[in-house]
Amino acid sequence: MSTKTTSAAERDIQTILTGHPYRAILRLAWPATLAMLLHTLFSITDAIWVGRLGAVPIAAVISATFIVWILLSLTSVLSTGVVAMVARHIGAGDRDTAREVAEESFRFALIYAFAITVTGLLLRRYLFALMDLAPDVARLGESYMQVYFSASVLVVFVEWAGSVFRASGNTRLPLVVTSTAVVLNIGLDPLLIFGWGPVPRLGATGAAVATMIAYLAASVIFVVLLRGSKLPFPLHLRLIGPIDWSRIRRLVTIGLPISISGISFSVIYLFVNRITAQFGTPAVAALGIGNRIESINYLVAYGCATAVATLVGQNLGARNPDRAAELTNKTVLLVSAFTGAMTVVFLTFPESIMRIFVDDPAVLEAGKDYVRILALSQILMGWEIVLEGAFSGSGDTIPPMAVSIVGSVLRIPLAWFLAVSLGWGVAGVWWAISISTLIKGTAVYIWFSLGHWKHRTVH
């Protein structure tokens, strides 16, 4: 490893452990946040181009997105555990163990990805059946997800590689990789969706193909970076090698609660989507487009949560829990400022924002109400996400799981009660989502304030 590389890695670690709080937060948060915002361009770009095909294709891709969430939630078993364990060992100065965790989790990731691929291909039809969609919407959605699940190994590898860099305090290289993949995806989307010259018109499925090609490019770049030793320890990507299964069990134990909460959130959205579908295909399209608009706030918060997980993990490893708490609280303030500003924008220009994605009058009508109603819960949504990152970095992932599952499950009866029983229509679904988000953000803040996470071990 070169002196230059070593120095850069060491500077990242020292900033996290001893640097000015806001400098430490921003050093990690801005690349992670920008990477998350760029990452959401995968789905936003898909929605913009597929939206030009009509209500049925966009409803299919929107519905498939909820299943994509399940896939990404499954990858968080790895990414959450890797960040918590690698960051903790780096903070404690134990680079050899940090390297062992990274190498063994890589080999486990390949096995895990194969299992996801097989399971996803077998179950995709049943997942769409849960949503009770129109037959033409379901058929298109299944085709979209067939491509996505077939390339699950690329998704898992990219998430694993990014988590190793983030645990080391380097969120800049994942940003470079994400930027490259997004640019490629943006260029391929119209080409594969509409066809051009010898390239066939693939329609909505072309959006999935474009995304998977982008993931392939990201995987290749990450392999080059990992082999180039851009980490505070040398890393060898051997396909065959020893795996300490007790360590993998610990890693999975840390990551599984976050994964379960993400999966439950996604499955619950299948049922929320089913309730929404009672009000027609335009309502389903509005739900997905509105969710993509809301994702601006979600991904800023998630990028900051990614930074907080590393900040907490390394500082707990260095036996400095008070600094971990200080960094977390300051990050919550920063995210609140952003989501508060976006709340004003959502309340003021809901229809204009919707028109970026669609010009169908029925979709616009339902969508602008979504944007207004969900605006009221954006600040507390940010709290929930950032504090989940803090819990994850400490290895104490049960509290955010409990809050997420209970709060998300509440959405189903609440949505039915408001939308159907009280006759509020699809706006009742929007209110159910917003109210449950307010409850979750408050609950996770109270639990974090108790401070039990400071004493969690990951060994």
Side-chain angles (χ1 to χ4, degrees):
M1 194 184 326
S2 68
T3 302
K4 182 178 179 180
T5 300
T6 302
S7 298
E10 293 300 328
R11 282 198 300 272
D12 288 332
I13 295 168
Q14 289 307 311
T15 299
I16 290 169
L17 299 180
T18 62
H20 187 279
Y22 281 117
R23 183 184 177 194
I25 294 167
L26 293 175
R27 185 179 179 88
L28 270 70
W30 79 260
T33 300
L34 185 54
M36 293 305 302
L37 286 171
L38 289 172
H39 193 276
T40 198
L41 285 179
F42 279 114
S43 59
I44 288 177
T45 302
D46 289 353
I48 290 174
W49 288 113
V50 175
R52 301 298 181 261
L53 298 175
V56 170
I58 188 62
V61 172
I62 292 305
S63 300
T65 298
F66 301 134
I67 301 176
V68 171
W69 289 354
I70 296 175
L71 172 57
L72 295 178
S73 295
L74 287 169
T75 67
S76 68
V77 170
L78 275 171
S79 59
T80 302
V82 167
V83 169
M85 294 184 71
V86 172
R88 185 73 69 95
H89 290 302
I90 288 175
D94 188 357
R95 310 299 171 82
D96 288 339
T97 303
R99 174 185 55 78
E100 291 171 4
V101 171
E103 292 179 352
E104 291 172 9
S105 63
F106 163 70
R107 290 187 279 273
F108 174 69
L110 301 180
I111 301 170
Y112 189 58
F114 176 76
I116 291 175
T117 298
V118 173
T119 304
L121 290 175
L122 290 175
L123 295 182
R124 74 183 191 282
R125 179 169 300 176
Y126 301 101
L127 291 171
F128 277 96
L130 282 175
M131 290 185 275
D132 195 26
L133 300 167
D136 50 352
V137 174
R139 280 194 301 271
L140 275 176
E142 288 174 25
S143 177
Y144 184 95
M145 284 312 305
Q146 181 176 2
V147 174
Y148 225 107
F149 277 122
S150 296
S152 294
V153 65
L154 300 176
V155 179
V156 172
F157 176 77
V158 168
E159 291 300 315
W160 169 83
S163 68
V164 173
F165 279 108
R166 293 193 299 270
S168 303
N170 187 339
T171 54
R172 298 177 299 282
L173 286 179
L175 169 61
V176 172
V177 176
T178 300
S179 302
T180 303
V182 167
V183 170
L184 180 59
N185 186 69
I186 290 173
L188 288 174
D189 253 349
L191 179 65
L192 294 174
I193 291 171
F194 301 105
W196 183 75
V199 179
R201 178 187 174 96
L202 299 178
T205 303
V209 175
T211 299
M212 289 304 100
I213 293 174
Y215 267 110
L216 175 61
S219 298
V220 172
I221 297 171
F222 265 132
V223 168
V224 173
L225 292 174
L226 290 166
R227 289 184 177 276
S229 298
K230 301 293 186 181
L231 297 166
F233 48 79
L235 186 66
H236 305 289
L237 298 179
R238 298 189 180 96
L239 299 179
I240 299 175
I243 296 180
D244 183 342
W245 288 103
S246 64
R247 182 178 288 154
I248 294 299
R249 280 195 298 273
R250 181 60 187 147
L251 184 149
V252 170
T253 299
I254 293 171
L256 190 59
I258 296 299
S259 180
I260 290 173
S261 65
I263 292 169
S264 65
F265 179 86
S266 303
V267 171
I268 286 161
Y269 252 95
L270 298 182
F271 289 97
V272 170
N273 203 43
R274 181 172 183 147
I275 296 172
T276 305
Q278 295 185 38
F279 302 98
T281 296
V284 174
L287 173 63
I289 294 172
N291 184 268
R292 279 165 168 73
I293 293 169
E294 185 188 13
S295 70
I296 296 172
N297 281 335
Y298 178 89
L299 292 169
V300 168
Y302 195 86
C304 290
T306 298
V308 165
T310 301
L311 294 168
V312 169
Q314 289 200 21
N315 277 284
L316 290 182
R319 301 183 184 279
N320 196 351
D322 290 339
R323 179 173 170 82
E326 178 189 13
L327 293 171
T328 300
N329 288 324
K330 289 184 183 302
T331 305
V332 168
L333 289 175
L334 289 174
V335 170
S336 296
F338 179 86
T339 54
M342 290 305 298
T343 293
V344 175
V345 173
F346 287 176
L347 289 171
T348 308
F349 308 107
E351 185 170 349
S352 299
I353 296 170
M354 281 293 298
R355 284 189 181 277
I356 297 173
F357 299 89
V358 68
D359 53 14
D360 184 287
V363 178
L364 281 172
E365 186 62 29
K368 68 181 183 181
D369 287 340
Y370 181 101
V371 175
R372 281 199 193 100
I373 294 167
L374 268 292
L376 304 177
S377 61
Q378 295 303 289
I379 292 176
L380 285 183
M381 181 189 72
W383 290 13
E384 180 193 359
I385 295 168
V386 171
L387 294 176
E388 180 181 292
F391 276 116
S392 298
S394 71
D396 186 13
T397 49
I398 295 295
M401 179 192 73
V403 170
S404 177
I405 290 178
V406 173
S408 296
V409 167
L410 176 64
R411 288 180 173 174
I412 298 174
L414 188 57
W416 181 267
F417 176 71
L418 296 177
V420 180
S421 298
L422 291 186
W424 290 9
V426 74
V429 178
W430 309 158
W431 276 110
I433 296 171
S434 193
I435 291 169
S436 60
T437 299
L438 291 169
I439 293 171
K440 290 194 295 178
T442 302
V444 78
Y445 179 81
I446 293 171
W447 208 329
F448 179 81
S449 299
L450 297 176
H452 301 309
W453 56 273
K454 296 179 181 180
H455 312 293
R456 185 75 172 185
T457 62
V458 301
H459 301 289

